[in-house]
Every structure is written in structure tokens, then in C-alpha cells.
Amino acid sequence: MLITVLQNTHSHSLSMETKILLHSLSLTLFSLLTLPFSTPFTPQDNYLINCGSTTNITVDNRLFVGDSTKPGSSYLSTARSITLQDTNPSPNSSTLYRTARVFTAASSYSFGIKKIGTHLVRIHFSPFNSQNYDLKSAKFSVSVNGYLILRNFGVHGTVLKEYILMADREKLEIMFMPVGELGFGFLNAIEVFSAPADLIVDEGAKLIGPNGIEEYKNLSTKVLETVHRINVGGSKLTPFNDTLWRTWVPDENFLVLKSAAKRAVATDTPNYEGGGASREIAPDNVYMTAQQMNRDNLTMDARFNISWNFPVGLGGAQHLVRLHFCDIVSLSLNQLYFDVFINKFLAYKDLDLSSLTFHLLASPFYVDFVVDSDHSGVMQISVGPSALSNPMRVNAILNGVEIMKMVDLVGSHNGSKKKNIWVVVSSVVGGSVVLSLAILTVLLAITCRKKKPKPRRVESAGWTPLRVYGGSSHSRMSEGTVNASPGQNGYLGLKIPFADLQLATNNFDKNLIIGSGGFGMVYKGVLRDNKKVAVKRGVPGSRQGLPEFQTELTVLSKIRHRHLVSLVGYCEEQSEMILVYEYMEKGPLKSHLYGSKFPPLSWKQRLEICIGSARGLHYLHTGSAQGIIHRDIKSTNILLDENYVAKVADFGLSRSGPCLNETHVSTGVKGSFGYLDPEYFRRQQLTDKSDVYSFGVVLLEVLCARPAVDPLLTREQVNLAEWAMQWQKKGRIEEIIDPHLVGKIKPSSLKKFGDTAEKCLAEYGVDRPTMGDVLWNLEYALQIQETGTQREPHEDGNINASELPAPRVVPQTPSSHTRTDGNGGDGCSDMSTTKVFSQLMNNEGR
Ligand SMILES: *[C@@H]1O[C@H](CO)[C@@H](O)[C@H](O)[C@H]1NC(C)=O
Ligand SMILES: *[C@@H]1O[C@H](CO)[C@@H](O)[C@H](O)[C@H]1NC(C)=O
Ligand SMILES: *[C@@H]1O[C@H](CO)[C@@H](O)[C@H](O)[C@H]1NC(C)=O
């Protein structure tokens, strides 16, 4: 029989297999492209000053200009100041800290601003002893553009003060004012540079307090002083490691209960395509580490918070708390739901990173909170599992924290006096300022350009298998294939020119987007021959690994079926990697069930769709030597063509199933929340019965017309499988069916359907039917509905096989591989099924 089938499909098999190979190859290529492509941020304004020095020095690849050199001094306006050198520097201290400028009268640095907007200002203080001055006894105030940022300030050790503020005029002036008769001020270095445009944005921050959560606006007008910058779960990051030359410190010392947290570390760089955060918001290293709940030695669903206490001033100021997240702990989307608390106030409920980052895993995201600190001197941040968490998967994470104090500007403006001083001082310094400023700007610009050759982004990085493997794509591909070598011609035959795809999709018109996923965007398109296609355009950053790829390569090369979506071609020009599938006119099943304008499907249509998808799955499980497990069965992965014929799509997660020797596939738990087999959770063992479970959830979705998980419903209704099974077990499933179906389903058909779903959802895989059995039972439910004939002699659903042509029912001891007769090449190829149902389906056939 197998031979017959292969013969029948021979003319198509070569190209199909190559198509599948390409599909799987491309998945891996995406994942291999997760190299750290980044264009370093180049600030438009960039002033780095080595104070009290005649020399320019380079620190962390940045040139600090001595303020006693000719061009450097042009920034400085001072009536009385001296330079000091540390004659006995500690060998570990930064070279920046070996000189200082000391002011004995009000003095200022003034910088021309080319880019109005948010700037970072850093002032470095590192006191050392010299003959005439003990820098530790300095006392002074500092203002920026007239706003007092440090009042009666003095330091005993090295301190870096960082401010993030709006430079809203052409000049930014930092003034140092000694306090008292004999007072003096000092500093070692200054940095003033423009921030990336998205570092501080006006909208989106949440004001947290006893009144709940309100929107906080105009954040960019505040002067922020950095208090803490924490790389949660990670190591110290130095300016050398950071995109904006920041320092991040580890979180351990702030954890309230160290044993509550467990470090998580990612090996792949984050997916910035999610749009939640850029590399400048925080560097890769922050997003690649996290603390998560430490559930070692605890029951699976133990729920607790991880908390950190960060010391802040006692003054009760407002703070900006920026929390960084990147889901590096989940193995698939929508597994992680957690709550965030700040000072015990609920700050973010049911945080679901998957949905916030365009359905990408490991995609950076941050949230800004504005919090009135109480007078406890502590800012407490907690994360804990949300009520939506699946009991099998409770977790909560945090990757980074920044706490910034909002500098109180009320009454700190020292405007008029300052301006007078500036006039005096500038007249003293003279007109050379402007000229030398211009020269220095040019010099700086040249230096910057030399120092920062802009690496081209991904576009030029190359997408070709050649580069990825260092070999040819063809040789590599045939290596991975066992019984399906594509051959060069088949491979090339599928190639679609990029220009054709641009044309087909109106140059990847946003309005033609019909879907998105970890892989990239899916566009609707029309090829030159008027064939409608779905064009899946990849973005680098998929996290699939090479082993998964090889499995897929072997596995997917065997797939060909009327109820499985097929590949039309691919494109890999211009660093693009694009897969082209047959277009499914009616889209995902889900949108015909709820939440859209489509007319409701009839019961018969629903049954036919379930039968079609069951047929596709049955073929996956049994139709090839080892069986294939889809692993992500859900109503969005079942697509409908123009005739409502169901096809299973998205094999991105599929795996080779158990081999004949019954070893399981032990692998990271993947799949979608609400559809996941609880046994797979518990035992991390994958069998085809996990697909059966997920399919059972789809059956309920079809029957009840509601999502597998609906967070808006009451606790007992949130999870469809749990809720519907309560009604099913009471024998009252008809009370929760789609209102459109009420009165339209024959009770016996409904009973058959409900029983089938219930069996699919059995707690243990061994108790669940095979897809073949599910298929038989669904066919039977349809037959009852259509003919009114009830051929079921026993109430419990067990029928006597001799009474065929009634379909088979769930066997007493189901096994994953009771059926071996489904090697078919299309929907009608299950020989036994075909024979039997040729009678049953008489007038209705396909
Ligand atoms: C950070 O930079 C230092 C050099 O200053 C380097 O030794 C260290 O490995 C870097 N850390 C990370 C996490 O990249
Ligand atoms: C987590 O902390 C918040 C705020 O203190 C508290 O309301 C909540 O009950 C805690 N959750 C757990 C699971 O302990
Ligand atoms: C304003 O600046 C002058 C020095 O220029 C200083 O003496 C005075 O105390 C400042 N006023 C305030 C309110 O800080």
C-alpha cells in the first residue's frame, strides 16, 4: 500500500519534499542569524571632559578632552580655579581620576547643544589628597541650566552623579558654587551627551499610589538623578559593556530573601524586533539575565513573590522606577503571567510579555512607573505569579531595575544671579570661546567619525546558507536528509525572485499583513500567475536551534497531505529569507468561531472542519515511519481554504514522535497556553497524545465558541478545558454551547462530540484516544447529524466492531500506534477510512 501511495504521488513528491526541506532549513537560518548586529549609538552632542588636565585621554574607547588644553578650556568659565594632580594615585583608579579642577569661586562649564532633547549629564567626583587641598572637605552646590541639582555637596569617596534631563536651549551650563567663606568645589570629569530619542518618552509611564494606577505625562521635562541601576540576575556591567556607557550592578545584595530567587541566563541575544525596547534602553547583557522564582524543592504551584529593597532617600521624593523584562525563562509564548508590585502597590497586573512584544520570545520590554517614595527610605519591588498563571508553570521574572529620583525643581532655579555671573565670566574669557568651540566641534566630529565606523546592519550581513555554514547550501541540505534528497533542480525550481514577492505584496505593505509570529510577518500576496499566496518574511532572531532544525528537516520532508498547508516557494535574495505558502482564503478557524464579523459556522461545517484537521493530524502521527508530533495545535493553526477545507499549519514546533521502541522525546515543553497537555508539563515527555489533548481543547472551542483561555472571565471559567469538562461530566455540556448552535445539534451527535472531547482531555495520555480514533468518532458524530441514524448500541459509547459501518470507537487500551494504515498522500488515502466512509458519507462526500 505504501508503494502504491508513493507511486501515486511520485510526480509531486520531489518538489514537495524540497519545499519542506527549505521550510525547515530556513527556520534554522533565522536562528543562526542571532549574532549581535548593532550599530553603536553615536550621540549628536558628545562632550567628554578630563578636568584639571592638559592631556586628552581615552577611557573605554571614549576620548576625554583635557579642560586645560586650549580647546578644552573653551568650555570652562572661571574666575578662580586651579588644577590638581594626584601625586600618589592608587593603581586601580581610573586615569580620569588622577587630576581634578578645584574652584574657589563660582565657575561653570558651558556646552553648545546641537540637538534639543534629552541629554545625559555625568559628573565624576573622586577626592584625593594634595598639599593645599583635602578634596574630601570640599563643600559646594551644582546647578544645571540654573536648576540646583546638588546642594551643599561633599564626597568622601568616588561618586558618579548622573542626571537625565531636557536640554531645551542651545547651551547647557553646569555651574559649581563653593559654599561658605573658605569653601571650594571640585570635580574630575564631566560627560554631557545627547540621549537616544526614545530613552525618555512623555507618554506611557504609570503613576503608582494608593489611588491605583494613573497615567503620568511629560516625563521628559523632569530632571532625573540616577539612584540605582541594577542588572538583575547578572554581573556588573561597566561603561565598556553598555550602549550608553552606563554602569549596572548585580542585584543580590538587594534581595529580601535570597532563596526566593534563582538566576536565569540566556545564551542567545535578545529579539529586539518585538518593539518593546531597544539596545540603548538597556544592553543585551541586562536582558540576557534575570531572576526567576526559585521553585527548587517546592511543589509545582507554590506561589510567592521575589522582593528587592532598594535604599532611597528619606526625603519622600518622587521616583521613576524603570523595570526591564525579557522572557528568557519560557520555552514558548504565553507561558508567563506575573504581577509587579512597588511599595506593595499593585503596579502591573497579569504582565504578559508575549503579547507585549509582538509574540516574540526573549524580546526586551520595559515599563516606567512613577512612585512617591514613602518615608521608609526603601523602595520595594516585588514580582510574583499572576492569577492567570497555569498551575504547572507559575513563575515571575525581572531582568533589570533603574531607580531615578525626580529632582525637585521648585525653588531651585537660581536664574537671575546665574545669568549675571555668566555675563561677567564670559566677558573675562573673551571672544575666542566661540571660535575654539567651533574648531573643537569639528575636531570632535572627525574623531567620532574615525572611531566609530558604523557597521552595517543586518541587511548586509548576509542570509545565505553559504555564510552560515561556511559551505554550500546544497551540500549541507543533502547531508540532513535521510530519504528525501531535494536535488539541486527541485530546490532551484522553488525559488521566487525577491522582486516578484515585492510586487506580490505591494512591497510588503503593512495593510497586507495577515499574521505574525516568532518567525516574522505574514503577508497576503498575489504572484504573477495570479496565484494567491501567504508570504512569511523572516526576521533574524528566531530561537530555534540546530538540533531542532535537523529533526525538522528529517520530519518535515515526509509531509504531504490535503489537510496540511503546503509550501509554494521561497526567496533568499538580498539577505531576505521568505517562505511562500498556499493562501488560505478563509484564514484561521478561530476567527470563524468568535471575535470577528464572520457569520457563524453551521454544526455540519464545524464537524467537517474538525474531521479535516483530525485527518491531517492523524496523517502526521501515523503516516510516516516515525510519526510526527505537531506540538502547537490550536484554532489559529488550523486554516480554512475558500471551501472551508481545514488544513493544519505551522510546523515550527513539530517533532519526531516516539520511535517504535517507545522511547519518548524529552525536550523543552513547548506549545500554547490553554492547549498544553498537563501530562507533558509534569513529565516533560512528549507523545502524540499531547496533540490529542490540544485537539480536544480545539473541539471545545468549536463547540462553545470561546477562547481556550479567557482572562476576562471568572476564575473557574478562565480555562476552557477545565470549565467545559465540569459541564461535560455532569452531562450538561449543552448548557454552554455556542448560542448559534442551540437547537441545531442532534443530541446524539452532541453526545458523541462531547464524549470525544472528554476522552481527548483525559488526564493521562494512555487514556486518550489516538487521532485515528478521534477521527472515527467525529465522522460518526457527523453521520448521526446528517442521517439521524444512531448506530450506537451502547450508552457508554462502546460499540461492537461487527456493527460496522459504524466507526470505531476509543479502544480500551489505546496505544499511540494502533493504526498503521494511514500512509496516504491526500485526504482520501486512509484506506480503511475511505472504504468505510464511502458508504457513510454517501451524498455528502468531499
Ligand atoms: C565587560 O567589559 C569588561 C572590560 O571592561 C570585560 O572584561 C567583561 O567581560 C565585560 N562583561 C560582559 C558581561 O560583557
Ligand atoms: C506579593 O506581594 C504583594 C504586595 O506585598 C501582596 O499583596 C501579594 O499577596 C504577594 N503575593 C504572594 C503570592 O505572596
Ligand atoms: C544662587 O547662586 C549664588 C551663587 O551664584 C548663591 O550664592 C546662592 O546661594 C544661590 N541661591 C540659591 C537659592 O541656591
Side-chain angles (χ1 to χ4, degrees):
M1 187 177 60
L2 175 65
I3 291 163
T4 317
V5 170
L6 281 180
Q7 274 171 350
N8 288 344
T9 61
H10 182 76
S11 56
H12 301 280
S13 63
L14 191 68
S15 63
M16 276 314 301
E17 279 154 357
T18 51
K19 285 169 192 175
I20 304 288
L21 279 170
L22 281 167
H23 177 177
S24 36
L25 177 68
S26 61
L27 288 174
T28 307
L29 291 179
F30 283 123
S31 66
L32 290 178
L33 273 170
T34 54
L35 305 170
F37 299 110
S38 67
T39 313
F41 170 69
T42 312
Q44 221 173 319
D45 295 314
N46 194 20
Y47 300 102
L48 308 173
I49 310 295
N50 179 19
C51 301
S53 175
T54 53
T55 53
N56 300 346
I57 58 173
T58 298
V59 178
D60 294 330
N61 292 330
R62 296 200 297 164
L63 183 73
F64 283 74
V65 180
D67 72 351
S68 306
T69 61
K70 268 249 164 78
S73 60
S74 65
Y75 302 114
L76 177 63
S77 311
T78 178
R80 272 202 321 274
S81 80
I82 58 160
T83 63
L84 281 187
Q85 188 156 12
D86 191 353
T87 48
N88 187 21
S90 116
N92 303 328
S93 78
S94 162
T95 44
L96 265 186
Y97 298 160
R98 294 181 184 175
T99 59
R101 178 161 294 273
V102 176
F103 308 101
T104 51
S107 308
S108 67
Y109 288 90
S110 182
F111 305 102
I113 296 300
K114 278 174 282 175
K115 188 180 180 231
I116 300 292
T118 303
H119 282 63
L120 280 92
V121 172
R122 294 192 185 126
I123 313 177
H124 299 249
F125 304 99
S126 186
F128 54 79
N129 281 323
S130 76
Q131 267 180 346
N132 301 322
Y133 290 94
D134 175 10
L135 295 183
K136 286 181 180 144
S137 69
K139 187 159 257 192
F140 54 103
S141 296
V142 181
S143 69
V144 174
N145 278 357
Y147 289 111
L148 203 60
I149 53 169
L150 290 170
R151 193 190 298 263
N152 299 342
F153 181 70
V155 291
H156 294 279
T158 299
V159 169
L160 170 59
K161 286 283 180 185
E162 181 189 88
Y163 301 89
I164 300 176
L165 47 84
M166 171 67 71
D168 56 359
R169 59 193 86 167
E170 283 156 16
K171 211 166 256 163
L172 188 137
E173 186 195 12
I174 304 173
M175 177 173 283
F176 294 80
M177 297 158 285
V179 171
E181 218 28 43
L182 297 170
F184 64 93
F186 83 100
L187 82 166
N188 306 79
I190 290 191
E191 304 171 37
V192 174
F193 59 94
S194 37
D198 64 352
L199 188 68
I200 301 289
V201 290
D202 277 339
E203 314 272 310
K206 294 166 192 289
L207 178 65
I208 309 300
N211 302 330
I213 303 172
E214 293 160 41
E215 198 186 343
Y216 187 90
K217 290 202 169 160
N218 299 328
L219 189 59
S220 73
T221 61
K222 307 295 172 198
V223 174
L224 304 169
E225 177 185 344
T226 305
V227 183
H228 293 286
R229 182 168 282 138
I230 312 290
N231 180 16
V232 178
S235 54
K236 178 172 175 171
L237 302 177
T238 66
F240 183 79
N241 309 113
D242 182 81
T243 44
L244 295 180
W245 310 280
R246 291 163 293 208
T247 299
W248 301 73
V249 303
D251 66 307
E252 262 91 8
N253 294 334
F254 303 99
L255 273 169
V256 175
L257 189 63
K258 284 200 171 70
S259 59
K262 186 169 153 180
R263 285 182 59 166
V265 180
T267 49
D268 295 347
T269 50
N271 286 321
Y272 288 96
E273 293 78 20
S278 66
R279 268 206 172 80
E280 282 75 44
I281 296 292
D284 291 357
N285 283 318
V286 168
Y287 292 118
M288 287 168 70
T289 60
Q291 297 281 14
Q292 61 176 323
M293 289 171 67
N294 179 7
R295 288 178 304 166
D296 296 351
N297 312 320
L298 289 173
T299 57
M300 204 59 138
D301 62 349
R303 283 164 193 261
F304 53 88
N305 290 327
I306 315 172
S307 296
W308 293 261
N309 281 348
F310 297 101
V312 291
L314 288 164
Q318 259 189 346
H319 287 78
L320 173 68
V321 176
R322 175 169 287 186
L323 301 184
H324 299 269
F325 303 100
C326 181
D327 184 358
I328 56 170
V329 301
S330 293
L331 298 161
S332 71
L333 291 168
N334 303 106
Q335 287 186 345
L336 182 66
Y337 292 81
F338 59 99
D339 294 334
V340 178
F341 303 91
I342 300 180
N343 284 346
K344 302 206 191 313
F345 293 120
L346 181 58
Y348 207 121
K349 190 173 184 303
D350 305 326
L351 185 59
D352 169 18
L353 292 170
S354 297
S355 70
L356 293 168
T357 57
F358 227 148
H359 299 286
L360 284 177
L361 263 191
S363 189
F365 188 79
Y366 74 93
V367 197
D368 282 342
F369 302 99
V370 176
V371 191
D372 283 314
S373 79
D374 45 27
H375 291 262
S376 65
V378 165
M379 182 77 72
Q380 184 174 79
I381 292 167
S382 310
V383 294
S386 116
L388 292 188
S389 307
N390 187 309
M392 300 298 171
R393 204 150 261 286
V394 295
N395 207 350
I397 61 162
L398 183 62
N399 298 63
V401 179
E402 290 173 277
I403 300 179
M404 297 171 211
K405 183 175 145 187
M406 294 192 175
V407 176
D408 182 10
L409 300 179
V410 178
S412 87
H413 202 268
N414 201 350
S416 52
K417 222 166 186 185
K418 175 216 67 166
K419 277 200 180 102
N420 293 341
I421 291 169
W422 170 240
V423 171
V424 173
V425 171
S426 60
S427 61
V428 170
V429 175
S432 64
V433 174
V434 178
L435 184 63
S436 37
L437 197 90
I439 293 170
L440 198 93
T441 309
V442 172
L443 283 176
L444 269 177
I446 292 168
T447 327
C448 288
R449 215 170 288 158
K450 269 193 197 150
K451 289 195 75 71
K452 299 193 173 170
K454 279 191 189 162
R456 296 282 297 124
R457 278 188 72 92
V458 188
E459 297 91 66
S460 63
W463 224 109
T464 61
L466 200 92
R467 291 223 204 152
V468 173
Y469 292 119
S472 103
S473 55
H474 302 314
S475 64
R476 184 70 199 188
M477 281 178 60
S478 36
E479 219 174 275
T481 59
V482 180
N483 49 4
S485 176
Q488 281 198 12
N489 293 333
Y491 180 77
L492 293 171
L494 288 168
K495 202 161 192 161
I496 301 178
F498 183 65
D500 282 10
L501 293 178
Q502 278 182 305
L503 197 68
T505 59
N506 194 15
N507 203 12
F508 299 99
D509 188 342
K510 277 200 170 68
N511 297 321
L512 294 176
I513 292 178
I514 51 174
S516 71
F519 188 88
M521 292 293 175
V522 186
Y523 301 80
K524 181 182 174 174
V526 183
L527 293 180
R528 282 175 193 278
D529 59 2
N530 278 333
K531 186 179 175 60
K532 282 189 195 161
V533 287
V535 179
K536 200 166 176 178
R537 187 187 197 190
V539 286
S542 165
R543 280 156 54 83
Q544 302 215 5
L546 194 59
E548 287 183 34
F549 153 66
Q550 278 163 341
T551 315
E552 280 186 38
L553 196 63
T554 324
V555 159
L556 291 176
S557 60
K558 296 168 189 160
I559 294 177
R560 168 170 166 68
H561 197 276
R562 179 171 189 248
H563 292 289
L564 303 176
V565 169
S566 67
L567 195 70
V568 172
Y570 76 102
C571 166
E572 55 161 354
E573 282 167 45
Q574 300 178 19
S575 330
E576 293 281 351
M577 192 67 201
I578 299 171
L579 296 169
V580 183
Y581 301 87
E582 61 176 314
Y583 182 70
M584 300 295 285
E585 188 73 43
K586 303 283 187 202
L589 167 61
K590 180 180 183 155
S591 51
H592 294 269
L593 296 174
Y594 46 85
S596 74
K597 309 178 292 293
F598 293 112
L601 298 167
S602 70
W603 181 236
K604 183 184 165 211
Q605 278 178 310
R606 295 187 203 206
L607 282 173
E608 281 171 344
I609 288 163
C610 292
I611 288 166
S613 9
R615 205 173 279 279
L617 272 175
H618 175 53
Y619 172 70
L620 278 184
H621 288 176
T622 61
S624 54
Q626 289 197 312
I628 297 163
I629 303 169
H630 185 286
R631 286 217 294 181
D632 202 13
I633 292 298
K634 51 182 172 181
S635 56
T636 45
N637 281 343
I638 293 170
L639 304 181
L640 305 177
D641 75 4
E642 66 276 19
N643 300 316
Y644 292 94
V645 172
K647 303 196 183 203
V648 178
D650 215 332
F651 303 96
L653 290 180
S654 66
R655 295 294 294 252
S656 264
C659 306
L660 294 173
N661 63 11
E662 294 195 353
T663 55
H664 65 269
V665 179
S666 176
T667 174
V669 172
K670 301 200 177 181
S672 296
F673 192 43
Y675 294 90
L676 261 173
D677 171 9
E679 190 179 39
Y680 176 30
F681 265 139
R682 278 196 303 272
R683 302 175 54 202
Q684 306 258 312
Q685 290 181 5
L686 183 64
T687 72
D688 48 8
K689 295 302 182 64
S690 300
D691 280 351
V692 174
Y693 183 92
S694 308
F695 190 72
V697 178
V698 172
L699 293 181
L700 293 177
E701 246 181 303
V702 166
L703 183 63
C704 306
R706 54 148 285 187
V709 173
D710 187 345
L712 299 177
L713 295 174
T714 61
R715 184 74 191 98
E716 79 267 18
Q717 292 189 28
V718 165
N719 185 299
L720 172 60
E722 277 173 29
W723 180 62
M725 279 309 109
Q726 285 170 15
W727 292 90
Q728 165 69 17
K729 286 185 174 129
K730 285 186 275 187
R732 292 164 59 195
I733 189 91
E734 68 277 6
E735 293 182 35
I736 59 160
I737 66 173
D738 182 356
H740 294 110
L741 295 175
V742 170
K744 306 213 171 109
I745 312 179
K746 292 194 176 144
S748 48
S749 178
L750 177 59
K751 179 163 192 321
K752 185 90 246 167
F753 192 88
D755 290 349
T756 307
E758 182 179 355
K759 290 192 165 110
C760 290
L761 294 172
E763 186 70 16
Y764 298 99
V766 291
D767 298 330
R768 293 177 207 146
T770 63
M771 274 323 292
D773 298 317
V774 174
L775 177 58
W776 283 90
N777 282 278
L778 291 173
E779 294 271 17
Y780 191 44
L782 176 62
Q783 188 228 343
I784 300 167
Q785 181 72 19
E786 288 297 290
T787 64
T789 325
Q790 188 167 3
R791 295 170 193 258
E792 200 170 9
H794 306 299
E795 274 307 301
D796 62 0
N798 287 317
I799 56 164
N800 188 333
S802 68
E803 293 190 38
L804 283 172
R808 264 199 237 168
V809 294
V810 180
Q812 296 300 324
T813 50
S815 121
S816 305
H817 292 284
T818 48
R819 295 187 162 270
T820 52
D821 53 355
N823 292 310
D826 67 26
C828 293
S829 60
D830 301 341
M831 292 304 282
S832 55
T833 320
T834 311
K835 270 187 220 150
V836 172
F837 287 100
S838 57
Q839 303 159 46
L840 289 178
M841 299 182 65
N842 44 46
N843 47 347
E844 293 301 334
R846 267 160 294 140

